[in-house]
Amino acid sequence: MSEKALAYLKDNREELLAKLTEFLSIPSVSTDSANKQDVQAAADFIVTYLNDIGFENVEKQATAGHPLVYAEYNQAGPDAPTVLFYGHYDVQPADPINEWVSDPFKPEVRDGRLYGRGTSDDKGQVFMHLAVFEAYMKTEGKLPLNVKVCIEGEEEIGSENLYDILHDKKEQFKADFAVISDSGMAETNQPTILYGLKGFTGIEITVTGPDHDLHSGMYGGAIRNPIMALSQILASMKNEDEVITVDGFYDDVEPITDEERKLMEQAPGEDFVASTGAPATVSEKGYTAKEHTMGRPTFEVNGIYGGYQGEGTKTIIPSSAIAKITCRLVPGQDPEKIQDLLETHVNKVAPAGVTVNVKKEKLSSKAYKVEPNHPLITKAAESYTKAFGKETIYIRMGGSIPVVEWIEAIYDIPIVLLGFGTPEDRLHSPNESFPLDSFDKGMETLVYYWQMVNK
Amino acid sequence: MSEKALAYLKDNREELLAKLTEFLSIPSVSTDSANKQDVQAAADFIVTYLNDIGFENVEKQATAGHPLVYAEYNQAGPDAPTVLFYGHYDVQPADPINEWVSDPFKPEVRDGRLYGRGTSDDKGQVFMHLAVFEAYMKTEGKLPLNVKVCIEGEEEIGSENLYDILHDKKEQFKADFAVISDSGMAETNQPTILYGLKGFTGIEITVTGPDHDLHSGMYGGAIRNPIMALSQILASMKNEDEVITVDGFYDDVEPITDEERKLMEQAPGEDFVASTGAPATVSEKGYTAKEHTMGRPTFEVNGIYGGYQGEGTKTIIPSSAIAKITCRLVPGQDPEKIQDLLETHVNKVAPAGVTVNVKKEKLSSKAYKVEPNHPLITKAAESYTKAFGKETIYIRMGGSIPVVEWIEAIYDIPIVLLGFGTPEDRLHSPNESFPLDSFDKGMETLVYYWQMVNK
């Protein structure tokens, strides 16, 4: 059954790539209200595609924010399993825009890679699933299993409405297992099962001093500088050994076992210095960079701003300064407790003369771990290996997919992370890209997997 | 002789205010290259005005940046003293623009104050001088003394070319004393002699980590966060007691004498909390806010930026972070030595995993103090008192006017700071303004002073 579908994908490769390019050209940046209509257009693109393929009950479900696309395929019969396929069609902002070699929303192939925002995260991977469904329908007239499609438009802004939808529409979205392709492989062409993901939480700190910018000559020496106060607060939260110095932060962390340390050591790792251009690798004292990224919590300031940012100098004491912080959590840590600990710390160390406000990121998630010997996992490994011609490996990763935790919490079904990204994809950065070779082999993997799970 | 000039100013008040409004409407923002033509237009306005008044040798002197306006009046005779009048026609940027009640470049009178960028710093005060010269010429056909006019367009960007001009054209600009009106009074309608000003220097710190923004899930735990590194560096430079913790920073500081402490204590001070909206006043441990602002050095972060500043979250480790820092210096401190100390400190505390670059502000200045009993100073006090009807007081202030140090260094002549600003003027901030009453009394002061100095 899979041969015909595979042949279809090969024969129609140019047409599919053209269609993917059309999808990627829509700037569906969910965080920027200026792109609201583009986000709608990307949802419409999927609705049309799913209808064309032959899905039923295709719906663009309205939310308080951007719509979610839902669809069903029920013709595989009552004995066939039902998969809930999750993906997202929204993308990160493209800024800093001037660092892109080609337009982020005019995809371009260079050296076997397709460049453009969303090529890897996650429009490219969503499209691979749709193309494989199309291949099965066009060649066999049916899919090997029943499918429920759930493609949201708010992943990059914290999936603000998804939890409520999954919770409230539990009957509609119900399935036997879930598949998500929004992650990557340890190395290009190295099939990888992600058996652990980090959780996620965040806060925004606003330090306010005077109610307007002040002349530094007239007020310097009388008024606390909000940027300096914010710097002092931030510096008190992590030390130079990359140890987070917030009371209680590590209290509930499940330690990395010796066995896992070995697994992490063996896992192929990228050369962090070469791939990032940073002068050196740094990690939490007592842990290697691999161990820290895979199995230890992190604390990052994602953005900071305050005062004058233009050309030249402006001799002011600024009115306020703001820092955006997110943490990646490991099994054992509770995101809301972590937010409380961060807030308590900030309030404790805030100096006199300024007002400090901590805004908590609304949607957080716990970390995730899955049983590596589950048949749905081993079949995924088999499909990967068959398509990529290489033994599949098992790793934990530093990324966070809140939906994974929510599906587990609400549906209590196995979740399979079938990721095809590569370490060179530059997710969230300028010049995001995805290898065309992974596009082909990834679709081949999916063709095998759908057939294999209904056996 | 002064009565006619005073009457002229009174009779032509409306016309002069309209002309001032025209001058203020030119957005001569020197730091922004987009305003290059506006800066030229402001210079042209002054050239035309000086020619109309009857000045000779009026020149718009080109520089590597914005032009300087020079003019002479030599008809007061060889026995009359010659004053070098310095002012600047460039202004600070108007941002944050949305905090202005009225357009910064469409001056508007509200409650007896003229609102607009430059009303106080320094176009308004420059215009008062020009109007007084006009009044003398129109009524007496001559000025009470010889004048050399030097009005530059680069004060708000560090007077980048002024030092070289003053140095290279020493013969042309030579005078017996200098008068500068680019400062303020201790209180509205409180005539004030500034006998001390702070020096000024600055650095910009750039912390660079990876060569592009990184996904915080994939790289968090392996790569140093440049914002956190910058925060740690800044926090190491000043403690919560507002003590600058850079080795050697206070080494050459001339201590405040007990006598000066009394003078500072007696000087009228503004209620810093009321006028700034900050929750509390803070100052260097061991010094009051008054003492710190008037007589102790300061260290301010004027601006900071790095990473994501938009709506929502962006889970990145940013590629770089930048902080702009300026210091106000007191007598004894050498700006270049201070820059070296700051640079040494930054390099010493910079953590591994990032590259740190310190850019030194090109033009710095030493602090300034003048002899309060010099006849030119006591005559200024007398003129002030006559116009404002109140005893003149003597204070030191936290602001910096590099040109003061340069005139002293190059010409070695007495410098009189005839300032008319008020503490409510909001220099460098949104809603800058200047009282119309001070406009009238300030011009009256100048009418008296010019006559008094030629006696």
Side-chain angles (χ1 to χ4, degrees):
Chain A
M1 182 172 176
S2 58
E3 288 69 22
K4 286 188 196 166
L6 291 175
Y8 179 89
L9 292 170
K10 205 172 171 182
D11 294 344
N12 293 276
R13 191 171 183 268
E14 288 312 305
E15 291 80 355
L16 290 168
L17 278 177
K19 192 158 186 172
L20 169 60
T21 297
E22 184 193 338
F23 185 37
L24 292 168
S25 302
I26 306 167
S28 49
V29 179
S30 51
T31 201
D32 194 338
S33 45
N35 293 104
K36 201 168 187 298
Q37 291 310 314
D38 301 310
V39 176
Q40 287 282 345
D44 292 336
F45 176 95
I46 300 168
V47 165
T48 304
Y49 198 175
L50 287 167
N51 276 317
D52 290 349
I53 293 170
F55 272 80
E56 303 156 77
N57 303 320
V58 182
E59 298 172 4
K60 192 168 79 166
Q61 298 187 350
T63 75
H66 303 300
L68 177 147
V69 179
Y70 175 83
E72 290 173 0
Y73 176 79
N74 298 315
Q75 307 303 317
D79 294 337
T82 300
V83 66
L84 174 64
F85 163 58
Y86 165 87
H88 65 92
Y89 65 84
D90 64 321
V91 295
Q92 282 276 319
D95 66 304
I97 194 90
N98 60 340
E99 291 183 18
W100 286 79
V101 173
S102 55
D103 189 317
F105 298 108
K106 288 183 183 162
E108 183 177 295
V109 176
R110 294 196 299 276
D111 297 329
R113 281 187 163 261
L114 184 64
Y115 284 85
R117 176 57 89 223
T119 44
S120 177
D121 179 17
D122 182 38
K123 284 159 97 176
Q125 300 199 50
V126 162
F127 188 88
M128 286 158 67
H129 278 270
L130 302 181
V132 167
F133 292 143
E134 174 187 330
Y136 267 117
M137 291 296 280
K138 293 276 182 174
T139 55
E140 304 287 346
K142 60 180 181 179
L143 302 185
L145 78 173
N146 296 314
V147 178
K148 291 185 176 176
V149 168
C150 165
I151 304 175
E152 70 156 326
E154 305 188 307
E155 200 271 347
E156 301 295 3
I157 51 171
S159 300
E160 286 183 12
N161 295 291
L162 184 66
Y163 180 87
D164 287 347
I165 294 170
L166 290 175
H167 183 270
D168 298 346
K169 303 191 173 177
K170 194 172 166 176
E171 271 312 305
Q172 187 182 24
F173 285 69
K174 203 178 169 184
D176 298 307
F177 69 109
V179 163
I180 300 174
S181 298
D182 189 22
S183 51
M185 298 179 160
E187 286 180 329
T188 303
N189 285 326
Q190 172 55 64
T192 308
I193 292 285
L194 268 181
Y195 74 98
L197 281 169
K198 282 184 183 169
F200 169 85
T201 194
I203 60 168
E204 186 175 288
I205 306 174
T206 302
V207 177
T208 308
D211 58 21
H212 59 286
D213 292 349
L214 303 176
H215 189 291
S216 72
M218 292 169 67
Y219 296 98
I223 299 299
R224 177 87 65 189
N225 184 309
I227 298 176
M228 181 54 90
L230 179 58
S231 297
Q232 288 165 340
I233 291 168
L234 293 175
S236 76
M237 301 178 88
K238 190 156 84 170
N239 67 22
E240 283 194 26
D241 290 331
E242 294 286 282
V243 174
I244 299 155
T245 47
V246 173
D247 263 359
F249 190 91
Y250 293 103
D251 279 1
D252 303 324
V253 167
E254 279 182 17
I256 306 175
T257 62
D258 287 348
E259 198 180 349
E260 277 194 300
R261 277 199 145 158
K262 268 183 217 152
L263 217 65
M264 289 174 181
E265 193 50 43
Q266 286 158 7
E270 64 183 287
D271 178 337
F272 287 117
V273 169
S275 61
T276 67
T281 283
V282 293
S283 55
E284 185 185 344
K285 200 175 182 178
Y287 298 89
T288 65
K290 261 188 189 175
E291 288 166 355
H292 194 171
T293 53
M294 291 185 187
R296 296 286 297 175
T298 63
F299 174 104
E300 299 296 347
V301 191
N302 309 121
I304 193 166
Y305 55 103
Y308 187 63
Q309 305 188 10
E311 280 180 64
T313 60
K314 190 171 182 211
T315 50
I316 53 167
I317 299 173
S319 172
S320 65
I322 291 174
K324 290 168 178 278
I325 294 162
T326 51
C327 294
R328 303 280 180 170
L329 309 177
V330 298
Q333 290 184 296
D334 177 68
E336 286 178 16
K337 183 179 168 190
I338 293 295
Q339 284 182 322
D340 289 343
L341 292 175
L342 296 176
E343 185 182 34
T344 301
H345 178 96
V346 169
N347 289 329
K348 192 181 73 184
V349 302
V354 291
T355 308
V356 174
N357 181 266
V358 174
K359 185 174 143 196
K360 292 175 181 172
E361 177 72 22
K362 207 177 133 207
L363 286 176
S364 299
S365 65
K366 288 183 185 165
Y368 167 81
K369 268 173 97 177
V370 72
E371 175 52 60
N373 296 320
H374 192 285
L376 284 164
I377 296 290
T378 54
K379 283 176 183 172
E382 228 180 294
S383 307
Y384 263 136
T385 298
K386 199 170 167 189
F388 283 82
K390 206 168 172 187
E391 207 55 47
T392 298
I393 60 165
Y394 291 72
I395 63 165
R396 279 171 71 173
M397 271 187 84
S400 315
I401 311 180
V403 66
V404 171
E405 194 220 343
W406 302 338
I407 292 175
E408 192 178 49
I410 299 168
Y411 297 86
D412 194 20
I413 53 176
I415 302 165
V416 183
L417 303 178
L418 273 180
F420 301 106
T422 78
E424 292 79 29
D425 290 356
R426 297 201 172 205
L427 311 181
H428 296 207
S429 297
N431 303 309
E432 180 180 349
S433 68
F434 190 74
L436 290 179
D437 186 46
S438 298
F439 184 67
D440 297 328
K441 288 178 178 158
M443 291 193 293
E444 193 178 337
T445 306
L446 294 172
V447 168
Y448 296 140
Y449 189 58
W450 295 140
Q451 211 177 31
M452 229 178 266
V453 291
N454 190 13
K455 268 183 187 169
Chain B
M1 182 174 178
S2 58
E3 288 70 24
K4 286 188 194 167
L6 290 175
Y8 180 89
L9 291 170
K10 206 172 172 184
D11 295 344
N12 293 276
R13 191 171 183 268
E14 288 314 302
E15 290 81 354
L16 289 169
L17 278 177
K19 192 158 187 171
L20 169 60
T21 298
E22 184 193 336
F23 185 36
L24 293 168
S25 301
I26 307 167
S28 48
V29 179
S30 51
T31 201
D32 195 337
S33 46
N35 293 104
K36 200 169 189 298
Q37 291 310 314
D38 301 310
V39 176
Q40 287 282 346
D44 291 338
F45 177 96
I46 299 168
V47 165
T48 303
Y49 198 175
L50 287 166
N51 275 316
D52 289 349
I53 293 170
F55 272 79
E56 303 156 78
N57 303 320
V58 182
E59 298 172 4
K60 192 168 79 165
Q61 298 187 350
T63 75
H66 303 301
L68 177 148
V69 179
Y70 175 84
E72 289 174 2
Y73 175 80
N74 298 312
Q75 306 303 316
D79 294 337
T82 301
V83 65
L84 175 64
F85 163 58
Y86 165 88
H88 65 92
Y89 65 84
D90 64 321
V91 296
Q92 282 276 318
D95 65 305
I97 193 91
N98 61 339
E99 292 182 18
W100 286 77
V101 173
S102 55
D103 189 317
F105 298 108
K106 287 182 183 164
E108 184 176 293
V109 176
R110 296 195 299 276
D111 296 330
R113 280 188 164 262
L114 183 64
Y115 284 84
R117 176 57 88 221
T119 44
S120 178
D121 180 16
D122 182 40
K123 284 159 96 175
Q125 300 199 52
V126 161
F127 188 87
M128 286 158 67
H129 278 270
L130 301 181
V132 168
F133 293 142
E134 174 187 330
Y136 267 117
M137 290 298 278
K138 292 276 181 175
T139 55
E140 305 287 346
K142 59 180 182 180
L143 302 185
L145 78 173
N146 296 314
V147 179
K148 290 183 179 179
V149 169
C150 165
I151 305 175
E152 68 156 327
E154 306 189 305
E155 200 272 347
E156 301 296 1
I157 50 171
S159 301
E160 287 184 10
N161 295 291
L162 185 66
Y163 181 87
D164 287 347
I165 293 170
L166 291 175
H167 184 270
D168 298 346
K169 302 189 174 178
K170 195 172 165 178
E171 270 312 304
Q172 187 182 23
F173 285 70
K174 202 177 171 185
D176 298 307
F177 69 109
V179 163
I180 301 174
S181 298
D182 189 22
S183 52
M185 298 179 161
E187 286 181 328
T188 302
N189 284 325
Q190 172 55 65
T192 308
I193 292 283
L194 268 182
Y195 74 98
L197 281 170
K198 284 185 182 167
F200 169 85
T201 194
I203 60 168
E204 186 175 289
I205 305 175
T206 302
V207 176
T208 309
D211 58 20
H212 59 288
D213 292 350
L214 302 176
H215 189 291
S216 72
M218 293 169 67
Y219 296 97
I223 299 298
R224 175 88 63 190
N225 185 309
I227 298 176
M228 181 54 90
L230 179 59
S231 297
Q232 290 164 338
I233 291 168
L234 293 175
S236 77
M237 301 178 89
K238 189 156 84 171
N239 67 22
E240 285 195 24
D241 292 330
E242 295 285 281
V243 174
I244 299 156
T245 47
V246 172
D247 263 357
F249 190 89
Y250 294 103
D251 278 1
D252 304 324
V253 168
E254 280 182 19
I256 306 175
T257 63
D258 288 347
E259 199 181 349
E260 277 196 300
R261 276 199 144 156
K262 268 182 215 154
L263 216 67
M264 289 174 180
E265 193 50 44
Q266 287 159 5
E270 64 183 288
D271 179 339
F272 287 117
V273 169
S275 61
T276 68
T281 283
V282 294
S283 55
E284 185 185 344
K285 200 175 182 178
Y287 297 89
T288 65
K290 260 187 191 176
E291 288 166 354
H292 193 172
T293 52
M294 291 184 188
R296 296 285 299 173
T298 64
F299 174 104
E300 300 296 347
V301 191
N302 309 121
I304 194 167
Y305 56 104
Y308 187 63
Q309 304 189 10
E311 280 181 63
T313 59
K314 190 172 183 210
T315 50
I316 54 165
I317 300 173
S319 171
S320 65
I322 291 173
K324 290 168 179 279
I325 294 162
T326 52
C327 294
R328 303 281 180 170
L329 309 177
V330 298
Q333 290 184 297
D334 177 69
E336 287 178 17
K337 183 179 169 189
I338 292 297
Q339 284 182 324
D340 289 343
L341 293 174
L342 297 175
E343 185 182 35
T344 300
H345 178 96
V346 169
N347 288 329
K348 190 180 75 187
V349 302
V354 290
T355 308
V356 174
N357 180 265
V358 173
K359 186 174 140 195
K360 293 175 181 172
E361 176 71 24
K362 208 177 133 209
L363 285 176
S364 302
S365 65
K366 288 184 184 166
Y368 166 82
K369 268 173 95 176
V370 73
E371 175 52 60
N373 296 320
H374 191 286
L376 285 165
I377 295 291
T378 54
K379 283 176 183 175
E382 227 180 297
S383 306
Y384 263 135
T385 297
K386 197 170 167 188
F388 284 81
K390 207 169 173 186
E391 208 55 46
T392 299
I393 60 166
Y394 290 73
I395 64 166
R396 279 172 70 170
M397 271 186 84
S400 315
I401 311 179
V403 66
V404 171
E405 193 220 342
W406 302 338
I407 292 175
E408 193 178 48
I410 299 169
Y411 298 85
D412 193 21
I413 53 176
I415 302 165
V416 183
L417 303 178
L418 273 180
F420 301 105
T422 79
E424 293 78 31
D425 291 356
R426 298 201 172 204
L427 312 182
H428 296 205
S429 297
N431 304 308
E432 179 180 349
S433 69
F434 190 74
L436 290 180
D437 186 46
S438 297
F439 184 67
D440 297 328
K441 288 178 178 156
M443 291 193 292
E444 194 179 335
T445 307
L446 293 174
V447 168
Y448 296 140
Y449 189 57
W450 295 142
Q451 212 178 30
M452 230 178 267
V453 292
N454 190 13
K455 267 181 186 170

